[in-house]
Amino acid sequence: MKRVITYGTFDLLHYGHINLLKRAKEYGDYLIVALSTDEFNKNAKNKVCYFDYEKRKALLEAVRYVDLVIPEENWDQKRSDMHLYHIDTFVMGNDWEGKFDFLKDEGVDVVYLTRTPEISTTQIKLDLQEKEEKK
Ligand code: C2G
């Protein structure tokens, strides 16, 4: 069984995320998502989430491509995660291109996939604001 992992906040889950998860799953049979906890988002990623961890986790668990959701609590857990979860392939969007190449030393393939253009949580928020103002 080929095991794939990806990491992220996935808040306001949107089709760009789904597109990433769909393509990530194509690299194996079992996809793990390491989901950034609320504390990690707040303290290290400077992100304030709309949905808390439990809600974001439930949303991801409902996605057909996702087999397991685990917590991402810090920047440094990736190396050990590769062994703990017997990962074959690590996948991230190419906004992270090159940033995780060191994981090749842990014997995993590192794949960066093209981000889906024009969609981001920031863009969603801006569009909603604009619609409100046009009312
Ligand atoms: N993504 C994408 N297309 C978009 C938006 C996001 O392909 N339009 C991808 C990102 O490249 C990432 C994943 O979806 O691979 C999750 O996106 P975020 O939640 O923004 O992830 P991020 O906050 O960058 O967290 O340790 C790694 C970090 O936890 C990554």
Side-chain angles (χ1 to χ4, degrees), residues 7-10 14 16-17 20 36 45 47 72 75 78 92-93 95-96 115-116 119:
Y7 293 71
T9 297
F10 295 96
H14 55 65
H17 296 134
L20 187 282
S36 309
K45 296 176 77 176
K47 283 194 170 188
E72 179 189 28
W75 292 115
K78 293 184 179 67
M92 284 301 292
D95 44 322
W96 292 92
R115 267 177 77 94
T116 303
I119 181 74

Side-chain angles (χ1 to χ4, degrees), residues 60-76:
L60 284 172
E61 286 170 341
V63 174
R64 67 173 61 192
Y65 311 112
V66 177
D67 297 287
L68 176 68
V69 179
I70 63 168
E72 179 189 28
E73 297 171 295
N74 59 67
W75 292 115
D76 307 318

Side-chain angles (χ1 to χ4, degrees), residues 10-19 115 119-121 124:
F10 295 96
D11 185 53
L12 290 188
L13 191 64
H14 55 65
Y15 67 87
H17 296 134
I18 301 299
N19 193 16
R115 267 177 77 94
I119 181 74
S120 67
T121 304
I124 292 170

Side-chain angles (χ1 to χ4, degrees), residues 66-92:
V66 177
D67 297 287
L68 176 68
V69 179
I70 63 168
E72 179 189 28
E73 297 171 295
N74 59 67
W75 292 115
D76 307 318
Q77 70 182 71
K78 293 184 179 67
R79 278 190 194 278
S80 52
D81 285 351
M82 297 308 122
H83 303 285
L84 199 58
Y85 296 95
H86 312 290
I87 300 300
D88 299 287
T89 307
F90 168 93
V91 175
M92 284 301 292

